[in-house]
């Protein structure tokens, strides 16, 4: 695994965990009527964004080595 991928993945996973904790703190133990909808939605939006970014990074990391390998074979 490339070092930059590992660093990026680590960063994104930490961000996902932080946003998930935010969602929990915004709703845990509260009466549903008292929950601040906007606060929860902000955390959820940020969580979805981080998860989508992680998914994209993972797909690129999986595809790029195969692509580079096939290009190297074509060049030979």
């Amino acid at each position: 695994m490339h070092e930059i991928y590992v660093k990026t993945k680590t960063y994104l996973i930490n961000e996902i965990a932080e946003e998930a904790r935010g969602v929990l703190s915004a709703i845990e133990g509260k009466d549903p009527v008292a929950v601040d909808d906007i606060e929860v939605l902000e955390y959820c939006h940020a969580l979805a964004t981080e998860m989508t970014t992680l998914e994209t990074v993972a797909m690129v990391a999986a595809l790029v080595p195969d692509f580079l390998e096939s290009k190297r074979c074509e060049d030979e």
Side-chain angles (χ1 to χ4, degrees):
M1 236 185 271
H2 288 83
E3 183 180 340
I4 194 158
Y5 171 71
V6 172
K7 287 181 179 181
T8 303
K9 180 180 176 182
T10 301
Y11 168 78
L12 290 170
I13 287 174
N14 288 330
E15 289 294 308
I16 289 168
E18 183 179 326
E19 300 303 341
R21 283 190 291 276
V23 171
L24 286 176
S25 71
I27 63 175
E28 195 169 40
K30 295 181 182 173
D31 178 359
V33 175
V35 170
D36 182 347
D37 297 343
I38 299 302
E39 179 184 17
V40 173
L41 289 172
E42 286 173 356
Y43 282 121
C44 288
H45 176 72
L47 180 59
T49 301
E50 298 296 341
M51 291 172 67
T52 301
T53 303
L54 177 60
E55 181 180 32
T56 302
V57 167
M59 286 189 297
V60 169
L63 293 174
V64 168
D66 291 340
F67 175 75
L68 293 175
E69 182 64 30
S70 68
K71 284 292 187 187
R72 188 170 49 167
C73 289
E74 288 174 8
D75 291 344
E76 291 176 354

